[in-house]
Amino acid sequence: MKHIINCLVENQPGVLARIVGLISGRGYNIETLNVGPTEDPTVSKMTIVVPGDSHVIEQVTHQLSKQIDVIEVVNMTNRRHLDRELILVRVATESHNARAEIVDLAALFRGHVVSVQEDSVTIQMVGNQETVADFLCLMKPYSIVDISRTGVIAVGREAPGASAAKG
Amino acid sequence: MKNKTDTDMSSAEKQPLRSGAQCVVDGLIKAGCEVLFGYPGGAVLDIFNCLYEAPFNFVLSRHEQGAVHMADGYARATGKPGCCLVTSGPGATNTVTGLATAYMDGVPLVCITGQVALDMIGNDAFQEADVIGITRPVTKHNFLVRSADDLPGIIAKAFYIATTGKPGPVVIDIPKNVQKQMTAALTPETVTMRSYRPDVPINEAEIAQFAELINNASRPLLYVGGGAISGNAAEALAQLAHKANIPVTTTLMALGVFPETDPLSLHMLGMHGSVAANYAVDHCDLLIAAGARFDDRVTGKISAFANKATIVHIDIDRSSISKSVRSDLGVHGYVKPVLEAVLPLVKPAEHTEWLEKVNRWKERFPFTYPKNDDALMPQFVIEQIDAVSEGKAVVVTDVGQNQMWAAQFFRYTRPRNFITSGGLGTMGFGLPAAIGAQFGRRGAPVVCVTGDGGVQMNFQELVVAVEHQIPVVVVILNNGFLGMVRQWQELFYDRRYSGVVLSQKGRAPNEQVAETSGYLPDFIKMAEAHGACARRVFKEEEVGPALREALASGKTWVIECIVAPEANVFPMIPPGAHVAEIINRTV
Ligand SMILES: Cc1ncc(C[n+]2csc(CCOP(=O)(O)OP(=O)(O)O)c2C)c(N)n1
């Protein structure tokens, strides 16, 4: 199972390398990783998607919390949250039919066409993990030429006080 | 100098400007540094310039690895943070093994490395190395200092991080221009960090649950690790063990935290631990792991480890709880306050049946070794160190068979009297660590137990002991082999001795060398060339007198003991095996 882990870290050089090194050094996988500033300029937020069973995730969470520059670690998967990922996917359009079908499918997923070429069309689509996966599944038969994904970001839906502090 | 610094720091208003280099020295003074181990170079010239007048000792090692091990030995022997200072590039890379050694065993160190000027970083400048990148996985934390204004705060933070929570080494990488830069920044009086809060409040519910488990257990066992030593928990531990009559086994790292002369002591557990301790783990119904981390050298086959027991794990490192062995109750906190909190809730108990059982194992399977009329047994040498020092020696070991014999055949009764590289198992640790330990414990008899292989890895540091009149007694157990590896080849690889023969005879076909007239190097000549006293002994009756003379001399000594070449460390639970597979050929 995949877990979405949100990590508030000191906004300092080297922190990203430390987090990535920690996770890879202990043999865990990172599926996606997203880093951005927060409203507090001294704090950055990382959203890390790690596949693994609950034991692995517990270890990852504790190891992350142990890092000196990490302020807070929250496993979003365990709580009410919203998650989104933006993808840009370029799909081959061998026939006019294909193009029309792709555009229709994209519309069903509230994606839209951001660029049209002679032999391909590029769709921008935003969704949670399942929606993105479903959409990509439907695009597969058309042969995906290129894809870029932002990685998952997530926010909690509970009152801020409910988030687990580092301990 | 010292007075001047003190007043500087108290009169905040008209704080004169200080250089970054001066901030380093002032920060070390403020942190209580008594002795700084290190090695100079171009990137730390400014700091060395300020050191000239420092009120603490500077000790020049002969290799940066030696400096870190000395600081490490000092820290383990005293409980205070060790301090070292090296130059950029090769100086810094030479510290990596020392840092990793300290990191694995949770030893508080602050290691300052010089770095090329900030605007040169990343340019492959002369003696540049990415020290932050290289040391990240082997330190608790590291800092690259970008401005002298940050330096006083970073030094204070480094000591705070190194000494609190699970202790560990911290590197401060200081570019040359930052050392020269002037700043008005003050050394802070206290440190608080929003991202690092090492103090864990006692969780009453966990404590109540813990107490209930103890009160309901019929075969409880305390399995105590290095965290009980770094957390100064010896007294709390003894109180709990005695109140509820719980037998105690310790890891290699925790030898001495519970007196091994106490009837409740089962000595060390694990691969080369006592039979009684390992049987007790296998039979207990409650295993209380206190500041221990279920290392694979302790557990053997994980799925079979303590599989009849409910497991309680007390640890200040939350990530260590249930890392390798699932515990039924994790108690996150320092060992001492946790044990103190549970003590009043624990009912006195006798556990007569359990203790009888355990004692029968102890009597039946003591640590013992076969007598040999032709050769001096290494185990005998260790027993003599115990006897001659009346159990008072601070024993610092290297790694290999010598380390295990030192653990098995000396009865440790005090914490911080057995110092060893447990987690990383670093050959070459013993000699410099013994010197560092003696710097911290001036009056104590310090004996380094080492092998003929490991002692050669940092022999050069012997000079430091002689120069500073550090009366360590280095006992080399010379078996002519890289003994521990040879033992594994004997037991698991059909005696095909490959790459382990240190003498010229008996080497594998592809390792043949010219036979000289004897064993090389001549450790006696080598010791004397370094200015130490030295003696070679062959017989049992020579050991005691040599030790007595050396310990009474107040001088640096090397005693080379020519021991049985193929003596083995038993008992031994083969790696990844269950206690049922224990090998115990001791007669
Ligand atoms: C730096 C380092 N290199 C290699 C090893 C692997 N190793 C573990 S024990 C050992 C043999 C040690 O031989 P010696 O120092 O003669 O001690 P003995 O085992 O004979 O007491 C070796 C090579 C190690 N632990 N550390």
Side-chain angles (χ1 to χ4, degrees):
Chain A
M1 169 163 176
K2 288 173 197 164
H3 287 251
I4 304 173
I5 296 170
N6 266 0
C7 222
L8 289 180
V9 300
E10 297 286 349
N11 180 11
Q12 269 165 17
V15 178
L16 179 61
R18 186 178 296 281
I19 300 293
V20 172
L22 164 80
I23 295 181
S24 63
R26 297 216 168 236
Y28 309 128
N29 240 326
I30 296 178
E31 193 162 286
T32 67
L33 178 122
N34 184 293
V35 195
T38 64
E39 72 287 0
D40 176 348
T42 66
V43 177
S44 305
K45 183 184 259 180
M46 292 187 186
T47 305
I48 311 169
V49 175
V50 185
D53 59 23
S54 58
H55 179 64
V56 166
I57 300 304
E58 192 183 315
Q59 263 300 305
V60 172
T61 315
H62 290 323
Q63 293 289 351
L64 285 171
S65 308
K66 199 164 115 175
Q67 297 304 306
I68 305 293
D69 285 332
V70 172
I71 302 165
E72 186 181 293
V73 181
V74 182
N75 184 349
M76 302 306 284
T77 310
N78 292 345
R79 58 185 61 225
R80 278 158 42 79
H81 71 276
L82 288 171
D83 66 274
R84 291 290 180 270
E85 179 172 17
L86 183 149
I87 64 170
L88 290 171
V89 56
R90 205 173 124 209
V91 189
T93 49
E94 262 117 46
S95 65
H96 281 291
N97 267 0
R99 179 184 293 167
E101 283 169 26
I102 291 164
V103 173
D104 280 355
L105 284 170
L108 286 177
F109 283 79
R110 293 200 206 160
H112 44 264
V113 176
V114 286
S115 159
V116 182
Q117 293 84 21
E118 215 163 279
D119 54 353
S120 68
V121 54
T122 304
I123 312 283
Q124 170 189 311
M125 192 269 193
V126 175
N128 64 20
Q129 288 179 292
E130 294 95 73
T131 320
V132 169
D134 288 349
F135 178 65
L136 287 177
C137 199
L138 290 168
M139 286 300 106
K140 261 228 175 94
Y142 299 99
S143 119
I144 293 170
V145 183
D146 197 3
I147 182 165
S148 284
R149 311 173 61 152
T150 58
V152 175
I153 53 169
V155 286
R157 302 177 72 173
E158 288 163 7
S163 76
K166 175 173 167 163
Chain B
M1 185 64 197
K2 188 177 184 181
N3 292 338
K4 178 167 174 272
T5 314
D6 282 347
T7 35
D8 282 356
M9 279 184 296
S10 50
S11 58
E13 280 109 51
K14 41 184 193 328
Q15 173 71 15
L17 292 180
R18 295 182 291 168
S19 68
Q22 189 60 47
C23 293
V24 170
V25 176
D26 293 345
L28 289 172
I29 296 170
K30 183 97 179 171
C33 174
E34 296 170 327
V35 51
L36 175 68
F37 303 94
Y39 211 94
V44 281
L45 279 167
D46 291 277
I47 300 176
F48 271 85
N49 186 42
C50 292
L51 276 181
Y52 197 84
E53 285 135 345
F56 51 78
N57 252 324
F58 175 76
V59 174
L60 178 70
S61 68
R62 295 304 191 267
H63 187 297
E64 289 86 352
Q65 184 186 352
V68 186
H69 288 330
M70 284 179 206
D72 181 323
Y74 170 88
R76 294 186 205 229
T78 61
K80 299 179 208 162
C83 307
C84 49
L85 167 66
V86 302
T87 192
S88 67
T93 56
N94 270 348
T95 66
V96 170
T97 303
L99 293 169
T101 304
Y103 181 61
M104 287 289 267
D105 289 342
V107 178
L109 291 187
V110 171
C111 177
I112 295 165
T113 55
Q115 182 55 277
V116 301
L118 267 179
D119 60 356
M120 308 273 279
I121 288 183
N123 287 353
D124 298 325
F126 177 65
Q127 293 194 328
E128 180 189 353
D130 175 9
V131 171
I132 293 297
I134 292 170
T135 62
R136 189 177 294 125
V138 295
T139 52
K140 182 169 174 186
H141 197 59
N142 58 22
F143 294 95
L144 172 62
V145 187
R146 283 160 197 281
S147 159
D149 297 339
D150 303 334
L151 198 43
I154 285 178
I155 292 173
K157 277 184 190 168
F159 278 97
Y160 176 62
I161 292 168
T163 54
T164 51
K166 178 175 179 174
V170 177
V171 163
I172 311 175
D173 199 29
I174 312 179
K176 197 172 161 78
N177 64 308
V178 173
Q179 296 167 30
K180 288 188 185 291
Q181 191 190 337
M182 302 304 283
T183 178
L186 291 165
T187 302
E189 293 299 324
T190 54
V191 180
T192 46
M193 296 170 73
R194 65 176 168 190
S195 61
Y196 176 66
R197 280 168 259 148
D199 285 322
V200 186
I202 292 282
N203 179 330
E204 299 296 341
E206 275 173 5
I207 297 293
Q209 224 180 322
F210 181 18
E212 197 178 313
L213 288 171
I214 298 177
N215 291 334
N216 291 334
S218 44
R219 300 185 307 280
L221 177 67
L222 275 154
Y223 148 44
V224 184
I229 290 186
S230 57
N232 299 315
E235 211 179 293
L237 170 68
Q239 283 179 359
L240 175 63
H242 288 132
K243 184 168 183 188
N245 271 302
I246 307 174
V248 180
T249 179
T250 76
T251 64
L252 180 72
M253 296 312 301
L255 282 173
V257 75
F258 187 75
E260 291 193 285
T261 45
D262 190 297
L264 287 172
S265 167
L266 303 184
H267 312 304
M268 177 173 80
L269 83 169
M271 179 177 279
H272 292 297
S274 75
V275 175
N278 287 312
Y279 278 7
V281 169
D282 201 38
H283 284 73
C284 65
D285 67 351
L286 174 68
L287 185 75
I288 305 164
R293 60 184 180 88
F294 297 85
D295 181 88
D296 55 277
R297 284 291 186 266
V298 160
T299 60
K301 188 176 177 186
I302 295 240
S303 59
F305 182 76
N307 59 6
K308 301 177 192 74
T310 302
I311 296 178
V312 180
H313 190 175
I314 310 163
D315 210 302
I316 188 61
D317 178 0
R318 183 67 191 77
S319 68
S320 157
I321 296 174
S322 289
K323 182 168 63 184
S324 54
V325 171
R326 269 248 162 250
S327 46
D328 300 284
L329 174 65
V331 185
H332 182 202
Y334 290 104
V335 176
K336 182 178 165 179
V338 168
L339 294 185
E340 284 172 349
V342 83
L343 188 69
L345 308 182
V346 170
K347 297 193 189 106
E350 297 300 329
H351 297 305
T352 319
E353 222 177 292
W354 172 232
L355 289 182
E356 272 171 13
K357 192 170 192 159
V358 161
N359 281 327
R360 271 198 304 277
W361 290 327
K362 258 177 89 170
E363 277 157 36
R364 228 177 110 203
F365 306 108
F367 286 123
T368 176
Y369 56 94
K371 296 279 168 207
N372 185 331
D373 290 337
D374 305 324
L376 176 60
M377 293 305 284
Q379 298 92 331
F380 175 83
V381 176
I382 307 295
E383 288 173 339
Q384 285 292 297
I385 297 171
D386 193 349
V388 170
S389 73
E390 292 165 350
K392 295 201 181 79
V394 177
V395 176
V396 185
T397 81
D398 208 73
V399 166
Q401 293 183 310
N402 60 84
Q403 175 185 35
M404 292 300 133
W405 288 319
Q408 293 177 332
F409 290 93
F410 188 113
R411 294 282 66 92
Y412 297 94
T413 54
R414 298 173 187 81
R416 304 194 183 282
N417 272 18
F418 178 75
I419 292 171
T420 199
S421 164
L424 198 67
T426 306
M427 281 172 71
F429 170 82
L431 174 49
I435 295 169
Q438 183 84 80
F439 268 104
R441 303 263 291 274
R442 284 291 186 161
V446 175
V447 177
C448 168
V449 174
T450 178
D452 50 325
V455 77
Q456 294 187 56
M457 286 204 177
N458 275 314
F459 202 94
Q460 75 283 348
E461 304 302 345
L462 194 64
V463 168
V464 176
V466 174
E467 286 177 341
H468 290 268
Q469 294 173 310
I470 289 296
V472 289
V473 177
V474 181
V475 175
I476 304 174
L477 300 178
N478 185 348
N479 51 16
F481 283 107
L482 298 174
M484 186 57 97
V485 182
R486 183 207 58 73
Q487 173 170 343
W488 285 51
Q489 292 178 349
E490 176 185 333
L491 296 176
F492 310 123
Y493 291 88
D494 282 338
R495 285 188 70 127
R496 285 157 58 88
Y497 290 165
S498 180
V500 296
V501 187
L502 289 173
S503 51
Q504 290 93 39
K505 288 181 198 151
R507 295 200 184 192
N510 66 332
E511 295 175 37
Q512 296 296 325
V513 290
E515 274 183 34
T516 64
S517 52
Y519 181 97
L520 291 176
D522 181 330
F523 286 117
I524 303 304
K525 283 190 187 153
M526 214 166 148
E528 285 169 354
H530 285 68
C533 309
R535 182 176 304 161
R536 182 176 291 134
V537 302
F538 300 85
K539 298 199 198 93
E540 283 197 355
E541 58 271 26
E542 296 172 314
V543 177
L547 282 168
R548 218 162 283 126
E549 183 180 341
L551 283 171
S553 71
K555 294 195 171 126
T556 310
W557 265 82
V558 170
I559 301 176
E560 182 190 14
C561 303
I562 308 298
V563 296
E566 294 184 71
N568 284 327
V569 181
F570 290 127
M572 176 177 196
I573 303 174
H578 178 239
V579 61
E581 294 158 72
I582 199 163
I583 311 172
N584 198 13
R585 288 180 220 147
T586 47
V587 279

